[in-house]
């Protein structure tokens, strides 16, 4: 990456501010003063410092967040806070975005990354990566309804056309207060898909949380709104699935 781009990306100002830094001889590559804004640097093999502080930059960043309710899995919004608003400033330079969407009132696992290829593959129904949810539902969920949910139900899309959901796995956990806790694994991510699947069998989702994306399981030690970087093992597992 070009030196001026690197410094601009890592918060050292606009390109012209970076030029001024270079002129003032405070930027060094491997201990040598750097003057050329266009010079290519490779942080795998070189050390860049500004005022003797090492510049750190990674191409890709992967974060898992426990999304709270009343927060959009979008990058910006006029009316609501977004998952990006919850990030520390130090992550903003990486331009991460949520891989797939959760509804505003859905909690749980959101993967945030600037690795567009990985994000795309995780979402793609062709890759059949399971998304695992816990739902608390009202209404009676019969055994027959569970079988229908598992084999595929017709749900309406926005244009009054209907489509058949792909096969799913459903496990009834038991009663919670006056609702029923159910876990469901689906490989698609259509708008309100889980809610509409349960609606198609006469039930209403009152609470929804995503627990996992494939083998990537939400770290339950993360409070709502908290996030952390994926470990190397978690990332490897995710990569193996796509
Ligand atoms: N299905 C839904 O209905 N909502 C979500 O947020 C995710 C899946």
């Amino acid at each position: 990456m070009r030196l001026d781009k690197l410094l601009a990306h890592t918060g050292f100002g606009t390109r012209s501010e970076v030029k001024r830094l270079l002129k003032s001889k405070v930027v060094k590559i491997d201990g040598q003063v750097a003057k050329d804004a266009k010079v290519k640097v490779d942080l795998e093999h070189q050390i860049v410092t500004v005022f003797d502080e090492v510049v750190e930059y990674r191409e890709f960043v992967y974060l898992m967040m426990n999304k709270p309710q009343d927060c959009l899995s979008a990058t910006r919004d006029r009316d609501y806070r977004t998952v990006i608003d919850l990030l520390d400033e130090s992550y903003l330079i990486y331009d991460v975005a949520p891989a797939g969407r959760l509804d505003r009132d859905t909690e749980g696992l959101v993967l945030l990354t600037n690795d567009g290829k990985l994000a795309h593959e995780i979402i793609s129904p062709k890759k059949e990566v399971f998304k695992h949810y816990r739902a608390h539902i009202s209404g009676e969920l019969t055994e027959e309804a569970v079988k229908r949910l598992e084999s595929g139900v017709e749900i309406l899309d926005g244009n009054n056309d209907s489509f058949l959901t792909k096969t799913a796995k459903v496990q009834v956990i038991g009663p919670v207060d006056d609702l029923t806790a159910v876990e469901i694994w689906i490989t698609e991510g259509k708008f309100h898909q889980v809610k509409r699947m349960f609606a198609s069998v006469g039930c209403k989702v009152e609470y929804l949380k995503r627990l996992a994306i494939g083998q990537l399981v939400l770290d339950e030690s993360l409070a709502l709104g908290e996030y952390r970087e994926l470990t190397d093992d978690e990332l490897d597992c995710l990569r193996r699935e796509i």
Side-chain angles (χ1 to χ4, degrees):
M1 181 186 292
R2 267 173 59 149
L3 180 60
D4 55 353
K5 202 170 163 198
L6 170 76
L7 296 178
H9 267 62
T10 45
F12 288 97
T14 59
R15 293 262 177 113
S16 53
E17 285 163 342
V18 163
K19 266 200 184 130
R20 245 177 280 139
L21 274 180
L22 290 166
K23 264 199 177 153
S24 54
K25 299 187 181 166
V26 293
V27 182
K28 291 180 185 162
I29 302 172
D30 291 336
Q32 303 294 314
V33 171
K35 292 181 197 141
D36 181 2
K38 292 187 199 142
V39 70
K40 288 253 158 70
V41 284
D42 171 5
L43 291 190
E44 297 265 302
H45 303 106
Q46 290 171 303
I47 295 177
V48 176
T49 55
V50 179
F51 293 113
D52 293 327
E53 191 188 311
V54 176
V55 176
E56 295 195 36
Y57 184 76
R58 287 159 298 157
E59 188 178 7
F60 295 125
V61 168
Y62 306 87
L63 304 170
M64 72 154 77
M65 178 182 282
N66 187 4
K67 183 183 101 56
Q69 295 186 2
D70 278 326
C71 175
L72 299 184
S73 42
T75 47
R76 70 171 75 95
D77 191 80
R78 260 189 6 189
D79 302 319
Y80 291 98
R81 64 184 175 153
T82 71
V83 285
I84 302 300
D85 295 328
L86 300 180
L87 296 181
D88 187 82
E89 209 183 332
S90 58
Y91 283 110
L92 300 184
I93 52 168
Y94 293 106
D95 260 341
V96 297
R101 287 185 169 237
L102 289 184
D103 297 336
R104 180 157 61 89
D105 60 357
T106 302
E107 293 177 358
L109 177 60
V110 172
L111 174 68
L112 292 153
T113 183
N114 53 355
D115 182 345
K117 185 166 175 290
L118 180 123
H120 175 77
E121 292 187 331
I122 282 169
I123 302 166
S124 167
K126 278 194 213 130
K127 295 284 177 180
E128 304 206 323
V129 176
F130 273 102
K131 318 295 181 309
H132 176 189
Y133 296 89
R134 184 183 180 99
H136 295 173
I137 58 169
S138 54
E140 197 196 348
L141 184 66
T142 62
E143 268 181 39
E144 190 260 327
V146 168
K147 282 194 191 123
R148 280 173 52 209
L149 287 170
E150 290 193 321
S151 57
V153 284
E154 291 265 324
I155 54 180
L156 287 179
D157 73 13
N159 306 319
N160 268 359
D161 289 329
S162 64
F163 72 92
L164 187 64
T165 58
K166 289 190 172 188
T167 52
K169 185 173 155 16
V170 175
Q171 192 181 349
V172 178
I173 306 297
V176 257
D177 303 325
D178 50 351
L179 304 174
T180 306
V182 183
E183 294 198 4
I184 180 164
W185 289 255
I186 58 173
T187 56
E188 302 164 288
K190 298 240 165 45
F191 184 60
H192 293 334
Q193 176 146 349
V194 173
K195 291 174 185 164
R196 290 194 295 162
M197 285 174 75
F198 281 105
S200 77
V201 295
C203 296
K204 183 165 186 282
V205 172
E206 308 286 354
Y207 167 81
L208 189 61
K209 175 176 185 172
R210 183 154 66 192
L211 302 177
I213 299 171
Q215 301 296 316
L216 182 66
V217 178
L218 176 66
D219 179 343
E220 290 289 348
S221 73
L222 292 174
L224 289 167
E226 287 185 345
Y227 60 91
R228 67 157 170 81
E229 294 204 20
L230 297 198
T231 64
D232 290 345
D233 280 352
E234 286 170 334
L235 191 55
D236 284 349
C237 273
L238 207 50
R239 285 212 176 102
R240 261 184 260 124
E241 289 194 62
I242 53 182

